[in-house]
Amino acid sequence: MSTGVRRRMGVEERRQQLIGVALDLFSRRSPDEVSIDEIAAAAGISRPLVYHYFPGKMSLYEAALQRASEELKARFTEPHEGPLGTRLLRVMSRFFEHVDEHGPGFSALMRGGPAVGSTTTNALIDSVRQAAYDQMLAHLGIADAPPRLELVIRSWISLAESTALIWLDGRRIPREELEVQLVHDFAALVAVSAARDEGMADVLRAMLEDEPADGPFAELVGRLSALAS
């Protein structure tokens, strides 16, 4: 028979529990709307005990953002196998899945929330963007990006971030359409740069080399050709 006695958590286990509870609350509502009392109640402990593990809501918020940033970075991880367009489409699907499930938390991370301008928050945001950038270079098979390619990739990452934030305000365009559109956007940015730079033209050729007839890059080429004719 159960004695009803609750097992006492260790320090790190309790910290991780509080971070998980806070992240869940911040993922469903703006961090400004979540109080320490709510976090304590959800964790089943007293308000003073929350302060025993975290000096204040800001430190708990930053710890939750740290976990959120790690989860978001994981969405960009994709095996380097198969056509690039198909790979990017899978990445965008996982990215928007995360945005859809954790809208307020994603907005809080990328916009800064109550910690806007803090060194910790800015570093977390930069780490997500850098992880996406590194993954894109790896998918392209390029170790050291020339200036034009770096500009294209970082511009595209910024576009994906902005698109997701705008989409969260009403979800007025089907998510699946935006996932494809962002893959097309990347190809279009590379193509515009390729028209001016031979090195970027080589990048574009490599992107299209193994593209199947039903791939997202091929679809974009077909749609543009139809418009031109």
Side-chain angles (χ1 to χ4, degrees):
M1 292 179 61
S2 171
T3 62
V5 177
R6 245 186 304 186
R7 180 178 64 84
R8 183 169 181 173
M9 290 187 181
V11 173
E12 185 56 27
E13 186 180 7
R14 177 67 77 184
R15 279 179 55 85
Q16 293 305 315
Q17 182 217 16
L18 285 171
I19 290 171
V21 166
L23 183 58
D24 178 61
L25 291 171
F26 294 150
S27 294
R28 290 185 278 113
R29 301 202 337 264
S30 167
D32 292 324
E33 300 173 357
V34 178
S35 68
I36 286 291
D37 288 330
E38 272 189 277
I39 295 170
I45 61 176
S46 66
R47 175 189 175 99
L49 193 54
V50 176
Y51 285 111
H52 175 74
Y53 292 98
F54 294 94
K57 188 169 85 168
M58 186 64 70
S59 62
L60 180 52
Y61 172 73
E62 290 180 345
L65 286 188
Q66 174 71 55
R67 184 182 293 183
S69 70
E70 294 301 324
E71 291 179 359
L72 183 54
K73 282 189 282 188
R75 301 293 174 125
F76 292 99
T77 303
E78 172 70 24
H80 300 167
E81 301 170 358
L84 178 62
T86 304
R87 285 181 257 158
L88 291 187
L89 192 54
R90 287 196 293 263
V91 170
M92 285 296 96
S93 178
R94 288 196 302 273
F95 172 67
F96 268 92
E97 181 181 44
H98 178 90
V99 171
D100 200 6
E101 292 175 355
H102 307 286
F106 175 79
S107 295
L109 175 62
M110 305 316 290
R111 288 179 171 145
V116 65
S118 79
T119 301
T120 299
T121 303
N122 289 340
L124 289 174
I125 295 170
D126 288 343
S127 73
V128 172
R129 292 170 178 155
Q130 186 62 40
Y133 176 78
D134 292 340
Q135 283 292 331
M136 288 302 296
L137 280 185
H139 281 296
L140 292 168
I142 297 174
D144 188 17
R148 287 183 187 272
L149 180 57
E150 180 177 2
L151 178 62
V152 163
I153 295 176
R154 294 199 185 278
S155 296
W156 179 72
I157 292 169
S158 178
L159 176 61
E161 175 188 324
S162 300
T163 298
L165 289 171
I166 294 170
W167 178 75
L168 281 171
D169 186 16
R171 293 172 166 82
R172 291 166 291 180
I173 299 175
R175 190 184 104 185
E176 294 78 9
E177 291 183 16
L178 288 182
E179 292 167 4
V180 175
Q181 180 178 312
L182 280 165
V183 175
H184 288 174
D185 286 336
F186 180 73
L189 286 170
V190 173
V192 170
S193 187
R196 295 177 173 271
D197 183 84
E198 185 57 32
M200 289 301 296
D202 289 339
V203 172
L204 182 62
R205 293 185 191 103
M207 286 171 52
L208 299 177
E209 185 177 7
D210 298 324
E211 179 72 1
D214 61 348
F217 293 161
E219 179 192 357
L220 175 62
V221 172
R223 287 178 179 272
L224 293 176
S225 297
L227 286 173
S229 61

